[in-house]
Amino acid sequence: MTMKLQDTRLLAARLSEVKTYGHFINGEWTEGHSGETIELSNPATRQTLAYIQSGDAVDVDRAVNAAHHAFPRWSKSSPAQRQTILRVIADRLRARQLDYAMMETLNNGKTITEAFTHDITGAIGLFEYYAGAAFQLHGQVADFADSTMLIHREPIGVVAQIIPWNFPLLMAAWKLGPALTTGCTVVLKVAEETPLSALRLAELCQEAGLPNGVLNLLTGFGEPCGAPLAAHAMVDKVAFTGSTEVGKLIVKAASNDLKKVTLELGGKSPNIILDDADMDLAIPGAANAIFFNHGQCCCAGSRLFVQEKKYDQVVEGVTQFAKNIRLGPGLDSRTQMGPLVSQTQLERVSGYLRSGEEQGAKALCGGKRHGENGYFVEPTVLVDTSPDMKVYREEIFGPVVTAIPFKSVDDDLLTRANDTTYGLAAGIYTRDMARAHRIANRLRAGTVWINCYNIFDAALPFGGYKQSGWGREMGHNALDNYLETKSICASI
Ligand code: ADP
């Protein structure tokens, strides 16, 4: 990353102006119907950053109508037009990468390095990938006797997309890329905690040539704004990323008129280290699997299974790694871990730490809040846990890993690794590739990383088994989420 300290100070000063943002509907900034606003604050300092509209059902209706009216033209736009616009979006994001990284850091708390190199780089890659996909939406032709059969792919219509706060711009890109390239129109409801980068993205998309009404962005809380969006009669499809609990509400809301639904939900992912693993890779790998983005990842490697012979070495290594992590504000270039996103999240993670302690788990490091101002939590390694503990079973969504020893790679290990209601991701560290693949084949998870963790690519589908979700995002698969199939049969 080429970034000077002066640059970040200058940008921070520019962003320190406290603005009130509207919804972005039909290409215009629009005040919310309720007149109520939500205050955003920097999670490292709790200073006010900006105000956003607290959206309601009337705002939802306006935004959905705009998307509905924009659909006929956009759905018939040429692949070349869609490709060009998506490419320009990627180019403009790259030109302002530092601004966007800064917004993520100020609003979400993550470090500027992580925001720049992971989040914004990932978002750019997504738009580039789906720019290319605009020309890959081929239908098919089938011949049978005296009929000619055509199989068309058509955009599904108006899409409601609801996203969380852990990767604000990246989650918006995961959703928008496939929707826009297939010719759908969108109402995007961003998380109430972290809307800033996506709000700026909406404006950037307009500058890049996206016609008004194709992307509409709403801000607001889940119940008053997200729920009516998921239930709106003119919405054809809902794509949601967030908690499993809310995912179930989305399914109910969308069920009235049987909208198509895709869900990317929670996880409690096993990361398995075998005794033949390269420890120089496995130990930092296991630490990053959980501490990346402060553990606020649905695919975090939160259950660390280590083969007995190497258990002490790995647990000691990960504990040392955790103790060495420098906590601080994300804008400070020395910081390695920022604050959690919000007071709510701090309380939730602290609650899990208390429950672990009460149920007899032992923290080898961390286990408590750091400082008093921002929402910092110390990276924590728990041992002596058992399957009946909440910290063992439930998604904590914080920098807390549970280390679990196992004897041999057998049915028992696989049963324990799969013993979760989730199935989003898993990791395996070993030098024996054949063994790694045999384990990978038996893990009930949408992504299995071998000798790595948290590697994402626009071309690689991502999503979950079991209660981790429905469908896959990214890759070519994601296009299917936004396309209908029409068979035309002509007698000749
Ligand atoms: P988290 O617990 O990590 O904040 P949530 O699942 O609560 O995750 O939130 C993810 C997104 O879902 C946010 O944009 C939030 O506003 C939205 N949301 C929350 N509740 C509902 C709901 N009942 N209907 C629709 N959207 C909701």
Side-chain angles (χ1 to χ4, degrees), residues 59 68 139 239 338 404 417:
D59 301 322
H68 178 77
I404 305 155

Side-chain angles (χ1 to χ4, degrees), residues 97-345:
Q97 187 159 358
L98 191 51
D99 291 46
Y100 277 88
M102 184 80 67
M103 280 183 253
E104 295 303 54
T105 298
L106 289 172
N107 199 177
N108 166 284
K110 66 180 70 201
T111 67
I112 183 92
T113 313
E114 211 164 284
F116 191 97
T117 55
H118 180 264
D119 292 48
I120 317 301
T121 301
I124 294 166
L126 247 291
F127 285 115
E128 283 172 336
Y129 179 86
Y130 284 108
F135 279 100
Q136 304 297 323
L137 312 172
H138 307 299
Q140 287 175 310
V141 181
D143 291 307
F144 177 72
D146 282 339
S147 303
T148 290
M149 303 172 188
L150 304 174
I151 304 157
H152 285 297
R153 309 300 317 271
E154 295 180 350
I156 210 166
V158 174
V159 177
Q161 303 185 319
I162 301 176
I163 57 171
W165 45 259
N166 54 347
F167 298 97
L169 189 78
L170 190 57
M171 288 299 105
W174 281 27
K175 292 274 179 285
L176 294 176
L180 297 179
T181 206
T182 48
C184 294
T185 56
V186 176
V187 179
L188 175 68
K189 209 294 278 174
V190 290
E192 54 271 31
E193 297 90 347
T194 55
L196 286 187
S197 53
L199 282 163
R200 291 286 176 85
L201 177 71
E203 207 172 42
L204 181 147
C205 289
Q206 187 183 40
E207 289 165 22
L210 197 69
N212 291 345
V214 173
L215 166 60
N216 306 278
L217 191 149
L218 295 173
T219 58
F221 293 111
E223 264 181 50
C225 189
L229 177 59
H232 197 288
M234 268 151 55
V235 164
D236 299 289
K237 183 218 155 43
V238 186
F240 171 78
T241 298
S243 60
T244 293
E245 194 188 352
V246 174
K248 291 176 184 173
L249 297 176
I250 297 285
V251 169
K252 280 191 194 130
S255 69
N256 212 21
D257 39 19
L258 295 179
K259 298 181 202 319
K260 310 285 187 286
V261 178
T262 42
L263 305 167
E264 203 260 275
L265 308 173
K268 189 77 178 172
S269 299
N271 190 16
I272 302 169
I273 301 190
L274 307 192
D275 55 15
D276 72 338
D278 175 350
M279 289 299 146
D280 292 339
L281 195 67
I283 292 172
N288 284 318
I290 182 68
F291 299 133
F292 171 65
N293 207 38
H294 325 162
Q296 301 172 133
C297 299
C298 39
C299 54
S302 50
R303 289 182 299 143
L304 175 60
F305 289 92
V306 190
Q307 201 157 9
E308 260 175 14
K309 259 196 253 167
K310 294 292 167 75
Y311 181 75
D312 289 346
Q313 184 187 350
V314 170
V315 168
E316 167 60 27
V318 174
T319 303
Q320 209 45 54
F321 190 106
K323 284 181 178 164
N324 290 339
I325 291 175
R326 265 192 311 274
L327 285 126
L331 282 188
D332 186 332
S333 58
R334 291 161 305 177
T335 293
Q336 292 169 317
M337 187 186 280
L340 301 186
V341 72
S342 64
Q343 177 76 31
T344 311
Q345 192 57 14

